[in-house]
């Protein structure tokens, strides 16, 4: 860990505290950095925006992508005040940053009442055995749509 890493993580923790104190949402903050400069940041805004996806990492990813004019964060580092939940981790992987730095971990979050273990457990189950089971309908039409995508000449791969 170097001085810059500490500086960016302190900013993520500060954003978490500010958001918590303002009752924006839970105590989570995130900073995204490219070439030593913050290009996106966010705090949890779930309760203030009535948006269950407004986690700090998602807010920061949206901010960074808008700032950089791209849908991927190659060459970026993510600093987040806590280990990302499954949704945020998935979004981070889709964004493809170079590094992820965390302060707290999922056990620390669970101790404070933010327990995502049930999601991890659900993901290990077959689709039809999950609490919210997934039932397949109109699969042939979806497969056809994917075939059209594969054949599309002017698509932007990601």
């Amino acid at each position: 860990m170097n001085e810059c890493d500490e500086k960016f993580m302190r900013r993520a923790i500060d954003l978490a505290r500010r958001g918590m104190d303002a009752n924006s949402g839970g105590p989570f903050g995130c900073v995204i950095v490219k070439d030593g400069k913050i290009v996106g940041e966010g705090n949890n805004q779930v309760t203030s925006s009535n948006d269950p996806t407004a986690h700090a990492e998602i807010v920061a990813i949206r901010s960074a992508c808008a700032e950089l004019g791209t849908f991927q964060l190659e060459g970026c580092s993510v600093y987040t005040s806590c280990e990302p939940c499954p949704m945020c981790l998935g979004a981070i992987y889709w964004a493809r940053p170079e590094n992820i730095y965390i302060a707290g971990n999922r056990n620390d979050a669970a101790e404070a009442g933010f327990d995502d273990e049930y999601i991890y457990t659900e993901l290990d189950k077959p689709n039809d055995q999950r609490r919210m089971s997934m039932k397949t309908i109109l699969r042939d039409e979806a497969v056809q749509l994917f075939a059209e995508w594969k054949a599309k000449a002017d698509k932007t791969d990601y």
Side-chain angles (χ1 to χ4, degrees):
M1 176 174 59
N2 64 42
E3 192 175 300
C4 285
D5 290 335
E6 284 187 21
K7 176 179 88 171
F8 295 131
M9 187 59 79
R10 287 188 200 292
R11 176 65 181 159
I13 292 169
D14 181 56
L15 287 167
R17 181 172 284 109
R18 288 178 188 209
M20 178 184 72
D21 290 346
N23 291 321
S24 293
F28 303 97
C30 183
V31 170
I32 299 176
V33 175
K34 184 168 188 169
D35 299 326
K37 177 185 171 220
I38 294 175
V39 294
E41 58 183 30
N43 62 280
N44 183 289
Q45 300 172 15
V46 169
T47 58
S48 60
S49 67
N50 294 321
D51 180 354
T53 69
H55 290 200
E57 296 89 344
I58 302 296
V59 173
I61 288 169
R62 290 173 180 161
S63 171
C65 288
E67 173 70 21
L68 297 172
T70 182
F71 54 84
Q72 294 190 329
L73 299 175
E74 293 169 346
C76 293
S77 294
V78 175
Y79 296 83
T80 183
S81 65
C82 187
E83 179 179 352
C85 74
M87 175 186 70
C88 292
L89 187 59
I92 290 167
Y93 270 88
W94 278 115
R96 295 179 175 83
E98 205 169 292
N99 302 297
I100 306 169
Y101 299 94
I102 66 170
N105 63 42
R106 70 170 112 169
N107 297 321
D108 302 325
E111 256 317 292
F114 299 95
D115 192 355
D116 298 324
E117 191 57 38
Y118 80 96
I119 297 173
Y120 291 107
T121 301
E122 286 287 300
L123 292 174
D124 283 337
K125 295 177 184 176
N127 286 349
D128 64 347
Q129 293 178 17
R130 293 180 179 163
R131 190 176 81 188
M132 287 186 267
S133 68
M134 288 187 232
K135 295 168 181 59
T136 302
I137 59 173
L138 300 179
R139 181 167 179 246
D140 291 342
E141 292 183 30
V143 170
Q144 176 58 40
L145 189 59
F146 285 127
E148 292 172 29
W149 170 259
K150 285 171 59 176
K152 186 173 169 52
D154 62 343
K155 68 182 175 223
T156 301
D157 286 319
Y158 60 98

